[in-house]
Amino acid sequence: MNIQEIFRSQKNDVVRLWTEAVYSTYPFETTGFLRTKRDPFGNPVAHMTREAAGTLYDAVAGEEVEIDTVKAALERFVKLRAVQTFTPSQGLGVFYLMKPLLRERILPALAAQAELDAYLTAESRLDSLALLAFDIYTAARETLAESRIKEIRNQHAQLARWAQRLEEGPSGAR
Amino acid sequence: MAKLPTPQMLVASRPAFPDKSWLDTKPEFTPGSFCYPAKKETMELLHMPNPHDWDPAAEDWNLPENWEKILCDAFADRLEKHRSLKLFMDICVRCGACADKCHFFLGTNDPKNMPVLRAELLRSLYRRDYTMLGKILGKKAGARGWDMSVVKELFYYAYQCTECRRCSLFCPYGIDTAEITAIVRELLHEVGLGIHWIMDPVKNCSFTGNHLGIQPHSFVEIVEMLADDCETITGIRPKTPFNEKGHEILFITPSGDVFADPGIYTFMGYLMLFHELDLDYTFSTYASEGGNFGSFTSFNMAKKLNAKMYAEAERLGVKWILGGECGHMWRVINQYMDTYNGPSPANMEVPVSPITGTVFSNAASTKMVHIAEFTADLIRHNKLRLDPSRNDHIITTFHDSCNPARAMGLLDEPRYVLRHVCNNFVEMPENTIREQTFCCGAGSGLNTEEIMELRMRSGMPRGNALRYVQQKDGVNHMACVCAIDRATLPPLADYWAPGVTVSGLHELVGNALIMKGEGKRTMDMRQEDLPNVAEDEPEESPADAPEAQGEGQ
Ligand code: SF4
Ligand code: SF4
């Protein structure tokens, strides 16, 4: 098996194990539901997680994936983690849960073929992807903060306009 | 050197559910997870029971000394008063059909946000005092007594339910968790626990008529400014009749649409439509708020605020009431108004459209017609001249607001109107619309900014479906018929589907409406350039820069 084949042969398992590792950051009672229901709108968290998992793995494995595709796939997932009750490290730390899986599933096979370099490159790609997620996370938090301000402003938009007219005096009035 | 935690240790956040049963796992009151408490003065002014200062994050909530007795008695009283509550307490078979239907559960993955467990918080108390098994077996039978942590838990989860009723749609017994939440909120009010974002509007509506507490004369001036804007756009200044006696119709809509961006554009749509029809109507400054934050407080408060509608209809001598685009206003009208304040005043009649002659027999009892029904009927009878191409710059979808959809079955009228005023209309996935619609995540008085983060997760199922049609069909707009939605959906869209704008239905009607004698339209209701305007006559000077506050969308 060449490097690519090794990665591909492990994809299903790693994706599944990683997805489960993510699910297990949620309360126990919830995990069963996340695991079993497939509807993308009836179980959006699982759908987002699975989408992120597949793309994340492909990107780590060095498959031909566009950065925009990766971003789009990670975006929903990271945005979700960014507003759930996790600390930032818990929110994003899940990306590093893929490392032990890679070390268990991929490293031995690549080491056997003296392809340690290829393995280390894959791990580095995971690091970069985590940084990409960090960007998405930060942007999401900024959107959130802006929304708070925007909302207050919008609530009183017309009132502010009216008050401004009063201040301007009769010339501003109709 | 201290040991650094591994990634596994960092994410090991799963609460120890296997060790503790869900009854023993307590919520944490972290910032962003709860709404600010109501002010003591507000509660005093409204004669609410046991007003006091308190902080949800504090250990001690300063409850009155005999709080346990107050709550037990209040619960007994409600069980007596509402047979439905007793039934809901008794008949749940814990089948789980509702469990994964709540947007709070889907977004938070917190098991206590499963409707069945949300109700179980109250049911466990019921069991101790009202069931034989609970009395004997106690905890083993899922029964427990009142203690402070239970009160805190009830507060936490009663304000993580938007009373949207999606769960009840799936319950084989029709158990309505929204009503259970409403009762829990009512019970909490007995010991002085309420939230600012609900009680402040309640106070303002009680004393001045609208939710911001703007004085009547100022309210009129603000509406006149909107009429000026209509003139800027169309060359026609619609009339703004206020508190005039002897008209046929009283128009009542949420006051949010007079103050808030983008609701104001929907309000302008109403003004233009009524002017074009030469409708015989009046506004009222006393009943200038259709929304009813009392319905998020207690049945009595809802009744009190709702009473203004009929009182004003009687004083002004109108035949019927036309109601604007609002959510819970319609739930109150459709489900409770008759019982609260009916029968309607003697001067009122079964509504008949003065333009088409259609008798709205569905409103025979309340005498209140929804504007979407009214406008759909006008279009059906060919009474409006419309140019849907003026909305060609948008590809819109429609968000069914929970209350009109599930509490009154208003599903097709808004769509009918939308299809006639827009050329591009796309539905979101089937299990996220119509009766199965997902809540905006912030209804029932939870549309406050301190819980923005919570709102983004509870609104995620809606945002997610929106994002789907945005990517698949290029949707860039979402229409709705609820003032709270117009406030809550823009941040939700900014987060989950950036680039999608939000408006009410009648903003789009206003865009498309061809008024008699109007000038050439070059801008939309937001005074932004209309695309596809043919440049025929070069005579007009460029319109003055729009001075709209708030962000142009
Ligand atoms: S009424 Fe809505 S928010 Fe409340 S429990 Fe049911 S689905 Fe959830
Ligand atoms: S669907 Fe109805 S009966 Fe079944 S668990 Fe939910 S509330 Fe109980």
Side-chain angles (χ1 to χ4, degrees):
Chain A
M1 277 204 279
N2 67 22
I3 300 170
Q4 201 179 36
E5 283 162 358
I6 291 173
F7 272 107
R8 285 185 186 168
S9 69
Q10 293 296 324
K11 179 172 175 177
N12 281 348
D13 278 357
V14 176
V15 162
R16 180 177 51 83
L17 290 168
W18 185 76
T19 315
E20 272 172 17
V22 175
Y23 293 164
S24 69
T25 61
Y26 296 109
F28 180 70
E29 272 88 344
T30 313
T31 321
F33 162 70
L34 285 171
R35 230 192 269 130
T36 47
K37 190 153 174 191
R38 304 297 282 191
D39 186 293
F41 304 102
N43 190 358
V45 170
H47 190 251
M48 291 174 188
T49 310
R50 281 201 309 271
E51 186 193 24
T55 315
L56 182 67
Y57 186 83
D58 284 348
V60 168
E63 300 280 352
E64 288 271 337
V65 273
E66 292 288 327
I67 180 85
D68 284 344
T69 319
V70 181
K71 247 190 172 159
L74 295 188
E75 198 157 30
R76 263 196 321 165
F77 176 70
V78 174
K79 277 182 172 179
L80 174 77
R81 305 281 303 178
V83 286
Q84 289 186 320
T85 47
F86 298 115
T87 60
S89 64
Q90 288 171 340
L92 291 176
V94 286
F95 284 93
Y96 293 116
L97 296 183
M98 194 170 272
K99 262 189 197 173
L101 298 173
L102 295 175
R103 288 178 191 169
E104 188 192 312
R105 302 273 163 157
I106 307 285
L107 180 59
L110 289 184
Q113 299 191 10
E115 292 282 9
L116 266 183
D117 252 14
Y119 179 77
L120 290 177
T121 311
E123 271 207 357
S124 301
R125 278 195 288 259
L126 180 61
D127 292 335
S128 309
L129 288 160
L131 286 176
L132 184 72
F134 182 61
D135 284 346
I136 301 172
Y137 187 98
T138 315
R141 297 297 306 189
E142 265 166 30
T143 305
L144 206 62
E146 271 164 29
S147 283
R148 288 201 184 93
I149 300 165
K150 222 160 144 184
E151 180 164 275
I152 297 174
R153 210 176 53 202
N154 282 353
Q155 265 156 18
H156 305 103
Q158 189 62 8
L159 211 56
R161 235 178 113 198
W162 170 72
Q164 214 172 334
R165 274 208 197 179
L166 285 188
E167 236 163 56
E168 282 165 10
S171 63
R174 93 193 141 88
Chain B
M1 204 177 95
K3 251 172 99 185
L4 273 176
T6 63
Q8 288 85 338
M9 286 157 77
L10 279 175
V11 297
S13 67
R14 178 206 290 251
F17 266 91
D19 305 342
K20 282 195 219 158
S21 89
W22 66 271
L23 269 175
D24 299 320
T25 310
K26 298 300 173 200
E28 272 178 59
F29 285 82
T30 49
S33 67
F34 59 83
C35 304
Y36 296 148
K39 291 201 183 100
K40 187 176 167 200
E41 309 88 77
T42 309
M43 299 294 245
E44 280 168 350
L45 276 170
L46 290 166
H47 307 292
M48 295 297 287
N50 295 304
H52 65 280
D53 289 317
W54 65 289
D55 171 9
E59 189 53 38
D60 186 355
W61 283 10
N62 307 331
L63 296 191
E65 226 169 85
N66 56 340
W67 62 265
E68 190 173 344
K69 179 165 180 349
I70 298 175
L71 286 170
C72 274
D73 291 352
F75 190 23
D77 174 69
R78 300 311 186 279
L79 283 166
E80 176 94 349
K81 194 166 145 204
H82 305 285
R83 274 174 46 202
S84 55
L85 177 65
K86 185 141 189 354
L87 201 67
F88 294 164
M89 290 294 106
D90 282 327
I91 61 172
C92 171
V93 293
R94 306 194 59 154
C95 68
C98 61
D100 59 350
K101 303 305 185 295
C102 174
H103 52 286
F104 274 97
F105 172 69
L106 294 178
T108 61
N109 292 295
D110 178 344
K112 275 185 242 182
N113 272 326
M114 294 176 183
V116 49
L117 289 196
R118 193 189 307 287
E120 199 70 13
L121 299 175
L122 189 63
R123 202 174 278 123
S124 55
L125 297 162
Y126 173 80
R127 245 180 230 127
R128 186 195 68 167
D129 294 335
Y130 298 92
T131 68
M132 193 50 86
L133 227 63
K135 274 184 197 153
I136 300 167
L137 292 177
K139 227 171 153 175
K140 281 212 187 72
R144 60 176 178 174
W146 290 92
D147 70 38
M148 219 17 241
S149 68
V150 171
V151 175
K152 289 185 174 181
E153 194 172 53
L154 286 173
F155 177 83
Y156 192 81
Y157 290 101
Y159 289 95
Q160 284 197 26
C161 165
T162 46
E163 307 185 355
C164 78
R165 300 181 79 219
R166 187 171 195 267
C167 51
S168 73
L169 194 72
F170 297 89
C171 173
Y173 297 94
I175 293 177
D176 188 348
T177 307
E179 295 226 338
I180 297 177
T181 295
I183 297 280
V184 171
R185 290 187 184 185
E186 199 172 305
L187 294 180
L188 292 167
H189 270 294
E190 294 285 340
V191 287
L193 303 176
I195 68 168
H196 176 71
W197 189 253
I198 293 177
M199 297 317 288
D200 205 47
V202 167
K203 178 194 75 184
N204 290 333
C205 290
S206 295
F207 292 103
T208 34
N210 54 73
H211 80 276
L212 287 185
I214 301 302
Q215 299 291 328
H217 56 284
S218 311
F219 190 84
V220 174
E221 279 177 39
I222 293 173
V223 168
E224 281 175 351
M225 280 174 64
L226 294 175
D228 292 344
D229 288 349
C230 294
E231 187 177 9
T232 309
I233 296 163
T234 64
I236 298 170
R237 190 176 189 285
K239 55 184 182 178
T240 52
F242 263 102
N243 302 327
E244 293 174 5
K245 289 191 180 175
H247 289 287
E248 181 180 354
I249 298 166
L250 168 64
F251 181 66
I252 301 178
T253 199
S255 66
D257 286 345
V258 174
F259 305 126
D261 197 331
I264 46 174
Y265 309 113
T266 295
F267 193 90
M268 285 159 58
Y270 301 147
L271 290 180
M272 284 158 54
L273 176 69
F274 300 159
H275 187 91
E276 174 65 13
L277 298 170
D278 199 15
L279 200 67
D280 183 20
Y281 84 107
T282 183
F283 289 103
S284 153
T285 47
Y286 175 67
S288 59
E289 176 62 270
N292 188 332
F293 273 43
S295 67
F296 309 144
T297 307
S298 66
F299 281 82
N300 282 342
M301 194 57 87
K303 176 177 170 174
K304 174 183 151 189
L305 295 184
N306 175 261
K308 291 200 281 185
M309 294 185 173
Y310 281 159
E312 213 43 359
E314 186 165 26
R315 184 180 75 86
L316 298 171
V318 299
K319 289 189 185 151
W320 55 281
I321 304 174
L322 181 60
E325 297 177 17
C326 183
H328 59 281
M329 158 179 166
W330 284 102
R331 164 115 155 245
V332 172
I333 293 167
N334 202 48
Q335 297 195 323
Y336 307 116
M337 189 175 194
D338 256 344
T339 333
Y340 284 164
N341 295 310
S344 53
N347 55 299
M348 296 183 81
E349 296 170 9
V350 177
V352 178
S353 169
I355 318 295
T356 64
T358 299
V359 182
F360 291 98
S361 49
N362 58 322
S365 168
T366 60
K367 320 278 192 292
M368 291 193 65
V369 174
H370 194 289
I371 183 103
E373 294 171 312
F374 180 74
T375 305
D377 175 64
L378 292 170
I379 296 174
R380 179 76 206 233
H381 287 87
N382 245 326
K383 298 292 182 192
L384 298 179
R385 285 181 64 214
L386 298 167
D387 177 3
S389 76
R390 288 186 193 152
N391 284 318
D392 271 356
H393 53 307
I394 60 174
I395 302 174
T396 190
T397 187
F398 181 69
H399 164 70
D400 289 275
S401 310
C402 306
N403 286 308
R406 276 191 285 268
M408 72 180 295
L410 189 88
L411 303 167
D412 291 310
E413 292 86 345
R415 287 180 166 79
Y416 183 82
V417 174
L418 203 54
R419 286 210 168 86
H420 282 85
V421 299
C422 291
N423 287 322
N424 314 307
F425 169 49
V426 178
E427 292 277 17
M428 285 181 280
E430 202 192 332
N431 53 351
T432 72
I433 55 167
R434 297 176 73 92
E435 292 93 341
Q436 296 190 49
T437 184
F438 274 120
C439 181
C440 64
S444 81
L446 302 188
N447 52 324
T448 173
E449 72 276 353
E450 68 263 22
I451 54 163
M452 189 60 87
E453 198 177 300
L454 173 63
R455 287 167 48 187
M456 291 305 116
R457 46 185 191 268
S458 59
M460 178 273 285
R462 170 42 77 227
N464 184 47
L466 176 62
R467 178 183 180 273
Y468 175 76
V469 286
Q470 180 190 32
Q471 299 198 330
K472 187 166 127 315
D473 305 304
V475 164
N476 59 9
H477 190 84
M478 177 151 65
C480 61
V481 286
C482 168
I484 287 187
D485 280 339
R486 286 189 277 280
T488 60
L489 291 175
L492 192 72
D494 283 349
Y495 194 81
W496 289 108
V500 175
T501 52
V502 174
S503 81
L505 184 64
H506 279 76
E507 176 181 340
L508 304 180
V509 172
N511 272 344
L513 184 69
I514 302 173
M515 297 174 76
K516 290 183 265 313
E518 71 177 14
K520 183 179 159 132
R521 294 264 195 117
T522 56
M523 8 175 182
D524 65 8
M525 302 288 278
R526 302 184 182 194
Q527 302 195 24
E528 281 160 21
D529 286 343
L530 266 182
N532 321 322
V533 178
E535 263 191 57
D536 37 20
E537 315 110 289
E539 105 279 314
E540 314 149 73
S541 61
D544 286 346
E547 51 183 296
Q549 288 277 324
E551 104 287 18
Q553 304 231 4

